[in-house]
Amino acid sequence: MTPRSVTSSRLARGLILVVLAVLVATGCSRNTRDDENEGVPVTELYDKGHQSMRRGNWNNAANTFRRLVAQYPYGPYTEQALVETAYAQFKMGNNEEAVSAIDRFIRTYPTHRHIPYMYYLRGLTNANRDTVFLQRVWSLDSSRRDLAAPNQAYADFNTVTERYPNSRYAADARQRMVALRNTFARHEIETGLYYLRRGAYVAATQRATYLLETYPQSEYQNDAVALLATAYDGLGNETLATDARRVLQQNEPDHPALSGNWPNEPWKIRRLNPFATERTAIDTDRD
């Protein structure tokens, strides 16, 4: 073996030892961080978790409360720690973890005084599932996304209002249900306009009728009537089209459909711009 190869071999062994030392040190520090709460009294752990929450350190709060539950699986501090863990996960945007913690609490303590809040928090979490960064920045329309999570949120808020109508969360839950109903109604009108653009007039009338029957008094009920009038015109049914326009005249006399300027689709070039906020005929008609 040449002197150069001997030197290279020693360097390689030296590097391996350095890497192993770093890994061991990292593992030890991680274990130290994991174990710093081990054996701490339950009251101190609870106070520590709350201090983290007051500082907005949601991750540290969740870890502290999880340690509390693991070390002290029974008692009032444990019950409250599960509630705080779910809220911390919600604040971090960890929606799956938040729902999991909420469901665990509901199963374990079905008659607990915080049950109304947990259903309310689950509603907030499910309503927040589709609120991603790009949607916030470019104002993407949630009604055109998957509505499974908003539907679950609606069911959660409905549970609060029906089972716990006197709770402190019932009033806000009702308001959020109204907003969600408008989202669902908008989904129907957008779908109906899609059919209208493609000449599927029967499908458009069905969507408008479904909206009016399922979501009465929504923000888009007059748009649904306008959709009926336009679709019936496309079908050549002047009698039903006239009836729809008469109803629209009574409810919203300045609706653009009555002047023949509806639906007013966005400029096609705008749709090609990936940085433009998402707009549809509903938005342009309200400008």
Side-chain angles (χ1 to χ4, degrees):
M1 182 178 292
T2 64
R4 178 175 296 178
S5 63
V6 171
T7 302
S8 299
S9 178
R10 289 176 178 173
L11 286 173
R13 287 197 297 270
L15 287 172
I16 292 174
L17 290 175
V18 170
V19 171
L20 288 175
V22 171
L23 290 174
V24 170
T26 303
C28 290
S29 64
R30 183 180 294 113
N31 289 335
T32 300
R33 288 196 299 270
D34 289 343
D35 297 337
E36 66 182 2
N37 292 322
E38 187 172 353
V40 176
V42 63
T43 55
E44 292 184 22
L45 276 180
Y46 186 77
D47 289 342
K48 181 179 179 180
H50 258 282
Q51 290 174 8
S52 296
M53 294 187 76
R54 284 193 291 270
R55 293 193 297 266
N57 191 344
W58 308 112
N59 184 62
N60 191 59
N63 290 335
T64 302
F65 287 129
R66 275 198 296 263
R67 170 62 72 171
L68 187 156
V69 172
Q71 292 184 177
Y72 306 98
Y74 305 104
Y77 284 101
T78 301
E79 297 168 7
Q80 190 63 36
L82 287 171
V83 175
E84 306 293 1
T85 299
Y87 181 73
Q89 295 290 357
F90 163 72
K91 293 295 288 185
M92 286 190 290
N94 297 336
N95 299 315
E96 296 295 338
E97 291 83 351
V99 169
S100 178
I102 293 168
D103 289 345
R104 175 184 176 185
F105 185 92
I106 292 174
R107 288 194 305 269
T108 307
Y109 309 105
T111 60
H112 197 277
R113 62 188 179 89
H114 285 322
I115 285 294
Y117 170 71
M118 296 306 274
Y119 276 112
Y120 174 76
L121 182 60
R122 194 168 73 178
L124 294 178
T125 305
N126 281 313
N128 193 52
R129 282 177 186 258
D130 197 38
T131 310
V132 295
F133 174 75
L134 291 179
Q135 188 172 334
R136 290 175 177 172
V137 172
W138 281 291
S139 302
L140 302 184
D141 181 8
S142 61
S143 72
R144 305 177 79 186
R145 269 70 190 164
D146 181 10
L147 297 182
N151 271 297
Q152 182 58 56
Y154 187 91
D156 293 329
F157 292 134
N158 190 54
T159 297
V160 176
T161 60
E162 289 192 348
R163 295 188 191 176
Y164 315 100
N166 298 321
S167 71
R168 58 186 296 187
Y169 312 104
D172 188 68
R174 291 188 188 95
Q175 293 180 359
R176 293 179 183 276
M177 289 173 67
V178 171
L180 286 168
R181 287 180 75 256
N182 285 326
T183 296
F184 303 148
R186 176 165 181 143
H187 175 77
E188 297 301 326
I189 198 69
E190 293 284 4
T191 305
L193 288 171
Y194 170 85
Y195 288 134
L196 189 69
R197 288 193 297 271
R198 281 150 182 76
Y201 300 118
V202 173
T205 61
Q206 289 173 344
R207 284 290 180 165
T209 302
Y210 178 80
L211 188 161
L212 292 169
E213 292 176 348
T214 309
Y215 308 112
Q217 308 303 316
S218 75
E219 288 182 4
Y220 302 98
Q221 64 174 2
N222 292 330
D223 290 321
V225 177
L227 178 58
L228 280 175
T230 307
Y232 283 137
D233 278 334
L235 290 170
N237 192 329
E238 186 58 33
T239 300
L240 292 179
T242 300
D243 287 342
R245 279 191 290 270
R246 177 177 51 79
V247 172
L248 186 60
Q249 178 69 43
Q250 293 174 349
N251 294 333
E252 189 176 346
D254 58 346
H255 194 284
L258 295 173
S259 60
N261 187 29
W262 194 90
N264 182 17
E265 296 291 343
W267 196 25
K268 290 184 179 180
I269 293 180
R270 178 188 178 86
R271 301 179 201 171
L272 301 177
N273 181 5
F275 300 103
T277 55
E278 190 171 0
R279 296 174 66 81
T280 70
I282 301 299
D283 301 304
T284 56
D285 292 331
R286 282 170 165 73
D287 289 343

